[in-house]
Amino acid sequence: PRIGGPPSGVNIAAESLAVTGTYALSVVPYGDAPYISRRPRPLDPREPEDMDFAERRRNMVESQLRTNKVIDEQVIAAMAALPREQFVPKAYRGVAYMDEDVAIAPGRHLMEPMVLARLLQEAEIQPSEVALVVGAATGYEVAVLAKLTSTVIGLEADAALSQLAGA
């Protein structure tokens, strides 16, 4: 079987390309329904000078969290207050608020905002509780939890990642 394309014998007459986040989506005719191929594309490492991270953070809250059953106001406030772009390598700050996992090291990712918010909401974290994060990476989840509870312990085995925490 072929990977990344329609099955053999399919006549592809046209292709359109849409780019979203770090992926290129190819939509091609496939019988009566379009076939969508999702393949990674390289990120543009340039950071625009006029990038408004506060506006991107507001958009993340309104279009990714609130529209996806995140209703816990403490979780929303915590994620709205934290500059997520400071928890990713500089080359990836332009995509810090996209609705996908963000690569922060080989094999390591910053969790998609909606997924993190839904997990925290389901945990029903109380201010008096202690939270432990194993595999804290750059510390974003630890920072969010610190807004929700009095004590958070973050453990990270990768010294390079822990040095990026909040950089």
Side-chain angles (χ1 to χ4, degrees), residues 7-8 12 17 21 26 37 39 45 64 79 87 91 94 96 99-100 110 122 131 146 165:
S8 301
I12 300 174
L17 181 67
S26 299
S37 172
R39 61 186 188 275
Q64 296 176 41
M79 293 183 73
F87 295 89
D99 59 350
E100 293 282 340
L110 187 65
E122 289 302 313

Side-chain angles (χ1 to χ4, degrees), residues 78-96:
M79 293 183 73
L82 282 168
R84 186 173 162 92
E85 72 277 3
Q86 291 182 6
F87 295 89
V88 298
K90 188 171 184 168
Y92 292 89
R93 288 184 178 167
V95 295

Side-chain angles (χ1 to χ4, degrees), residues 1 17 31 37 43 46 55 65 67 76 79 82 113 123 125 139 147 158 163:
L17 181 67
S37 172
L43 290 173
R46 293 173 291 157
E55 180 62 26
L65 305 185
T67 60
I76 291 170
M79 293 183 73
L82 282 168
I125 298 164
K147 298 246 180 225
D158 185 334
Q163 288 179 355

Side-chain angles (χ1 to χ4, degrees), residues 1-2 5-11 30:
R2 293 175 22 188
S8 301
V10 173
N11 184 12
Y30 180 64

Side-chain angles (χ1 to χ4, degrees), residues 13-159:
E15 180 174 323
S16 64
L17 181 67
V19 176
T20 61
T22 59
Y23 293 92
L25 301 178
S26 299
V27 182
V28 295
Y30 180 64
D32 293 333
Y35 175 84
I36 299 176
S37 172
R38 184 173 171 162
R39 61 186 188 275
R41 71 173 178 89
L43 290 173
D44 183 351
R46 293 173 291 157
E47 184 175 351
E49 296 298 322
D50 62 345
M51 193 166 290
D52 184 353
F53 289 117
E55 180 62 26
R56 286 177 178 227
R57 197 163 37 257
R58 281 189 294 278
N59 287 339
M60 174 193 72
V61 168
E62 296 305 321
S63 66
Q64 296 176 41
L65 305 185
R66 292 189 189 277
T67 60
N68 284 294
K69 300 179 184 175
V70 178
I71 57 173
D72 184 319
E73 288 301 322
Q74 285 79 21
V75 171
I76 291 170
M79 293 183 73
L82 282 168
R84 186 173 162 92
E85 72 277 3
Q86 291 182 6
F87 295 89
V88 298
K90 188 171 184 168
Y92 292 89
R93 288 184 178 167
V95 295
Y97 294 98
M98 71 179 191
D99 59 350
E100 293 282 340
D101 294 340
V102 178
I104 55 175
R108 301 290 298 274
H109 297 84
L110 187 65
M111 193 181 306
E112 177 182 343
M114 183 272 299
V115 173
L116 175 62
R118 299 271 307 267
L119 285 170
L120 293 173
Q121 177 174 272
E122 289 302 313
E124 297 179 357
I125 298 164
Q126 300 302 309
S128 62
E129 294 178 329
V130 176
L132 172 64
V133 179
V134 177
T138 60
Y140 180 71
E141 291 84 357
V142 172
V144 174
L145 278 164
K147 298 246 180 225
L148 302 173
T149 189
S150 61
T151 305
V152 182
I153 300 164
L155 303 175
E156 177 53 57
D158 185 334

